[in-house]
Amino acid sequence: MTLPEGVSRRRVDDRERLATRGEPVYGEPTDGPWRLWDAGRSKLGAMLELGLDTGLTGGEGVLYLGAASGTTVSHVADFAGPTYAVEFAPRPARDLVDVAASRPNLFPLLKDARRPETYAHVVESNLDVLIQDVATRGQARVAARNRRFLAPDGRLLAAIKARSEDVTREPAAVFEDVLATLRDRYEILATARLDRYHDDHLAVVARPLAE
């Protein structure tokens, strides 16, 4: 799998690790201008480490849902184009603002990903990528509601959290239900369990169906 332009493998702690160029954010090791992208703290990093074909090439316009304090979206902004970062909780959103201070292409939004109409006036349309990492029930519905921002040939990269949907059911059953709902609005291109790095998570790569 080819990594996006701006993402590299660097030898850190005697092994090859993903890295991007940018200001450190969460105490990650650095190698000159490069900073380690810790897959154990990033679902998108885990997707890349596992060789999933994300379709990322570098320079994309991105909408990131569930940005939290900026761990993953900071790496995305290091290699992408305009990156809109939606976070609902005020405390991590304050950290996200600090992360954006050194990344002029990163635009933090204190908004609820379940209500895209509240930020539709800010986020541009025809974006290349929708990255979703939200800890809420109804993750497929969130992806469906935010499909409006994607270009016809855009990509959805989602990390589905089984325990956020239903803690009482087996993750595999939860994932099947989520995928069934996603198929109403997206063509599923690839899926992969992320358990090597994140328990009970499923990575999904999809593209929007024509409306």
Side-chain angles (χ1 to χ4, degrees), residues 125-176:
S125 58
N126 288 314
L127 291 171
D128 303 298
V129 186
L130 170 61
I131 301 174
Q132 180 173 310
D133 182 13
V134 296
T136 185
R137 184 171 293 178
Q139 293 164 82
R141 292 193 298 274
V142 172
R145 289 170 183 165
N146 284 274
R147 179 249 176 272
R148 69 175 75 183
F149 299 108
L150 273 177
D153 60 348
R155 290 285 179 102
L156 167 69
L157 305 177
I160 304 301
K161 300 172 171 63
R163 300 305 179 191
S164 293
E165 294 288 340
D166 191 335
V167 297
T168 66
R169 298 176 64 206
E170 285 297 315
V174 172
F175 295 145
E176 282 304 313

Side-chain angles (χ1 to χ4, degrees), residues 11-197:
R11 194 156 191 86
V12 180
D13 298 333
D14 294 324
R15 62 191 180 101
E16 294 289 315
R17 309 283 291 275
L18 290 175
T20 61
R21 289 190 184 95
E23 289 293 320
V25 169
Y26 51 99
E28 66 275 25
T30 59
D31 178 17
W34 296 89
R35 64 191 188 100
L36 176 69
W37 189 348
D38 186 351
R41 297 183 61 171
S42 169
K43 282 81 171 187
L44 181 60
M47 293 182 201
L48 294 173
E49 282 284 17
L50 294 171
L52 198 62
D53 183 5
T54 62
L56 293 169
T57 58
E60 291 90 351
V62 176
L63 173 59
Y64 193 109
L65 306 178
S69 58
T71 298
T72 297
V73 77
S74 67
H75 287 289
V76 173
D78 285 347
F79 69 84
T83 303
Y84 300 91
V86 174
E87 175 52 44
F88 181 62
R91 179 66 186 89
R94 286 196 294 271
D95 294 335
L96 181 60
V97 169
D98 291 339
V99 171
S102 62
R103 293 172 171 83
N105 62 322
L106 178 57
F107 307 105
L109 300 170
L110 180 59
K111 298 291 183 181
D112 185 344
R114 296 169 296 184
R115 299 182 60 201
E117 67 276 7
T118 64
Y119 47 87
H121 63 293
V122 177
V123 177
E124 61 189 279
S125 58
N126 288 314
L127 291 171
D128 303 298
V129 186
L130 170 61
I131 301 174
Q132 180 173 310
D133 182 13
V134 296
T136 185
R137 184 171 293 178
Q139 293 164 82
R141 292 193 298 274
V142 172
R145 289 170 183 165
N146 284 274
R147 179 249 176 272
R148 69 175 75 183
F149 299 108
L150 273 177
D153 60 348
R155 290 285 179 102
L156 167 69
L157 305 177
I160 304 301
K161 300 172 171 63
R163 300 305 179 191
S164 293
E165 294 288 340
D166 191 335
V167 297
T168 66
R169 298 176 64 206
E170 285 297 315
V174 172
F175 295 145
E176 282 304 313
D177 287 350
V178 172
L179 290 172
T181 303
L182 275 176
R183 288 188 179 99
D184 290 338
R185 301 298 300 276
Y186 290 92
E187 177 188 356
I188 308 300
L189 301 177
T191 64
R193 291 287 294 260
L194 297 179
D195 297 83
R196 176 176 164 190
Y197 297 100

